[in-house]
Amino acid sequence: MDQFLITGRSRIAGEVSISGAKNAALPLLAAMILAETPTTLRNVPSLQDVRTLIKLISGMGIDVQKEGNTVTCDTSSIANYFAPYELVKTMRASILVLGPLLARFGEAEVSLPGGCAIGSRPVDQHLKAFAALGAHITVENGYVKAKAPKGGRLIGCEFTFDMVTVGGTENVIIAATLAKGTTVLENCAREPEVVDLANMLVAMGAKISGIGTSIMTIEGVDSLKGCDYSVVADRIETGSYLAGALMTGGDVLTKNTNPNLLHPVLKKFEEMGAIITTGDDWIRAQMHGRPKPVDIRTQPHPGFPTDMQAQLMAVCCLADGTSTIIENIFENRYMHVPELKRLGANIKVDGHTAIIRGVDSFNSAPVMATDLRASMSLVMAAAAAEGQSVIDRIYHIDRGYENVEEKLRGLGVTIERINPNKPHKP
Ligand code: EPZ
């Protein structure tokens, strides 16, 4: 199992180009299934999760090709509507193929995604909404079997989500595009990745209003065509690299991004004492001295994103005072805490609340990545620590950060990927 060998202490400074967003690319790839003619998707990040979803869609007989960061998809050869457990269990967002299959072909058999490290992550809202659209849903032997009503088309409806769900909103918007009649969805997620998906669906010929708001109206159409679309920049990758500057008195310029995607994060960075400057497609964070402590509550967009919680906690660990974080989205998203404590952090967790008392510096130590965003918080902490740290199970980071070593090296981090089970190349 690969590990990272990181030698601190580094001042994280330099320029980094931001990739397309993983959490936009995945629903966009699923939505390509809707198109009756070929689609081209650009700025697709080369990540494990993207490779998994492409493999899953190819398994249906669909012709999906990825050349660099461009994916082309031709659905004319589709042969089945099946998503196997072997793939879905490795990438939960695979459930997003359910909506397009059901909408276009009137049937789908998709493995229930398991939970994951950060929570049970049920999909009850997705299934409840599909039923409201007239689908017959059964769950047998760990698979969701869905069938559109007689005639093969979903029927537009009014549906309100019981809680804000990004994947649920995405799956149901996709399904509603081809339903008979109009669908009104309330309590929708407003994340930038949901907006990106809706914008691509409109480019394919869908009729959607209320994009970016919590009430979306989708007027069903008979068919959708392919389009040429580019994935929105990754706001979480952007925030992760900027956080490194705050931890090390650094100076990071992120390019090919968009400051409008992560205002709540930039506001917190400024509260912590960073100098934030922005342009249309770039953001710079300069830091002098220690971060100031802050209080953070994770919330659905436009609140503070849960996917930045672990990275901000690592910054709080070095703050000049006590910070509090309340994680409101997932029930188990503090697994980075014991690992940060191994690096010298002073953190107490009580239910959903973490109290972080700032320390002067991290010390190096061997630690273990537990989930995607936790792994980046450990990388930044190890880079800020004096001495050599080893981070185990870094397959987590490969799921969501494209060319991560190269980008970190470009920011002054001394990092090497090693595998203790393979002889170390001198
Ligand atoms: C998406 O996950 C993201 N993943 C997550 O990013 C992100 O943390 C999350 O949204 C919240 O912003 C992708 O987009 C691929 P949810 P998703 O449905 O859609 C509960 C990362 O690190 N819920 O908004 O699965 C759920 O348990 C990942 O990139 C139900 O109860 O998240 C959670 O507590 C991690 N029933 C809350 O809602 C449902 O049917 C929010 O989940 C659906 C969700």
Side-chain angles (χ1 to χ4, degrees):
M1 206 176 279
D2 285 1
Q3 299 175 331
F4 275 156
L5 191 61
I6 294 177
T7 307
R9 163 181 320 195
S10 310
R11 177 174 178 267
I12 296 181
E15 296 188 6
V16 60
S17 181
I18 297 300
S19 303
K22 166 181 84 79
N23 291 350
L26 297 174
L28 293 171
L29 287 166
M32 291 168 103
I33 295 170
L34 292 168
E36 298 200 347
T37 54
T39 304
T40 299
L41 190 58
R42 302 177 193 281
N43 200 31
V44 179
S46 298
L47 299 169
Q48 187 51 47
D49 278 6
V50 167
R51 287 188 286 274
T52 302
L53 187 54
I54 288 175
K55 190 173 174 189
L56 188 139
I57 294 173
S58 304
M60 298 172 191
I62 292 175
D63 179 16
V64 190
Q65 305 298 328
K66 185 169 184 296
E67 299 285 324
N69 294 112
T70 299
V71 171
T72 52
C73 176
D74 179 344
T75 61
S76 54
S77 53
I78 188 165
N80 69 70
Y81 313 125
F82 180 66
Y85 174 63
E86 292 65 36
L87 286 173
V88 175
K89 72 179 178 185
T90 66
M91 213 279 291
R92 300 188 60 269
S94 308
I95 192 72
L96 291 171
V97 302
L98 188 51
L101 287 172
L102 187 53
R104 185 171 170 208
F105 303 105
E107 61 176 290
E109 185 175 344
V110 177
S111 168
L112 270 176
C116 79
I118 63 175
S120 62
R121 304 188 68 184
V123 292
D124 57 292
Q125 298 294 305
H126 303 234
L127 305 185
K128 198 174 166 187
F130 291 140
L133 286 163
H136 178 64
I137 305 281
T138 55
V139 178
E140 294 165 30
N141 309 108
Y143 280 81
V144 177
K145 295 184 178 175
K147 266 209 174 308
K150 275 193 298 307
R153 270 187 91 176
L154 297 173
I155 301 156
C157 70
E158 291 188 2
F159 180 81
T160 300
F161 291 99
D162 294 334
M163 89 287 295
V164 175
T165 155
V166 171
T169 302
E170 291 167 342
N171 227 340
V172 183
I173 294 173
I174 289 173
T177 55
L178 293 177
K180 194 168 170 7
T182 300
T183 299
V184 179
L185 300 176
E186 302 208 17
N187 201 20
C188 294
R190 299 165 54 191
E191 272 65 8
E193 295 75 29
V194 177
V195 171
D196 207 36
L197 170 66
N199 289 337
M200 186 180 91
L201 291 169
V202 168
M204 292 166 75
K207 290 183 180 155
I208 304 174
S209 59
I211 296 174
T213 74
S214 60
I215 300 178
M216 296 179 79
T217 302
I218 302 104
E219 203 184 314
V221 295
D222 293 337
S223 66
L224 292 171
K225 60 189 186 317
C227 66
D228 189 320
Y229 195 79
S230 187
V231 180
V232 71
D234 194 320
R235 62 192 168 107
I236 306 302
E237 185 194 21
T238 304
S240 300
Y241 288 120
L242 294 172
L246 273 82
M247 291 173 68
T248 60
D251 180 352
V252 169
L253 173 65
T254 55
K255 302 184 296 182
N256 302 320
T257 184
N258 175 350
N260 297 324
L261 301 173
L262 62 162
H263 272 143
V265 176
L266 300 180
K267 290 294 163 225
K268 280 300 170 189
F269 284 164
E270 286 178 325
E271 226 182 289
M272 299 183 96
I275 300 164
I276 300 290
T277 46
T278 63
D280 291 345
D281 63 353
W282 60 267
I283 306 167
R284 183 179 180 183
Q286 295 164 277
M287 192 69 181
H288 303 292
R290 290 178 69 175
K292 298 188 184 78
V294 284
D295 296 329
I296 292 169
R297 294 165 179 270
T298 64
Q299 293 291 345
H301 193 77
F304 187 90
T306 176
D307 291 351
M308 277 298 302
Q309 182 255 101
Q311 300 90 309
L312 258 289
M313 183 181 283
V315 183
C316 292
C317 288
L318 297 175
D320 184 11
T322 299
S323 305
T324 58
I325 293 180
I326 302 177
E327 172 55 58
N328 290 308
I329 307 297
F330 290 109
E331 66 266 30
N332 189 34
R333 202 168 198 173
Y334 282 141
M335 286 175 305
H336 41 286
V337 168
E339 301 304 315
L340 288 168
K341 290 170 79 169
R342 288 180 53 76
L343 292 166
N346 180 339
I347 309 170
K348 285 198 174 21
V349 172
D350 178 5
H352 286 253
T353 301
I355 296 165
I356 306 105
R357 286 182 178 77
V359 294
D360 294 341
S361 63
F362 282 118
N363 54 252
S364 58
V367 290
M368 186 175 78
T370 52
D371 58 86
L372 169 57
R373 304 304 173 181
S375 48
M376 187 52 105
S377 76
L378 296 177
V379 164
M380 291 301 182
E386 192 63 50
Q388 203 163 64
S389 300
V390 176
I391 303 181
D392 201 358
R393 300 191 180 181
I394 54 158
Y395 61 83
H396 288 292
I397 209 165
D398 292 331
R399 290 188 43 219
Y401 288 91
E402 185 178 49
N403 301 331
V404 64
E405 292 113 292
E406 185 189 327
K407 292 190 181 188
L408 286 166
R409 281 195 197 105
L411 292 174
V413 177
T414 304
I415 182 169
E416 191 186 345
R417 184 183 289 256
I418 58 172
N419 185 323
N421 304 321
K422 284 185 196 146
H424 185 47
K425 289 191 292 301

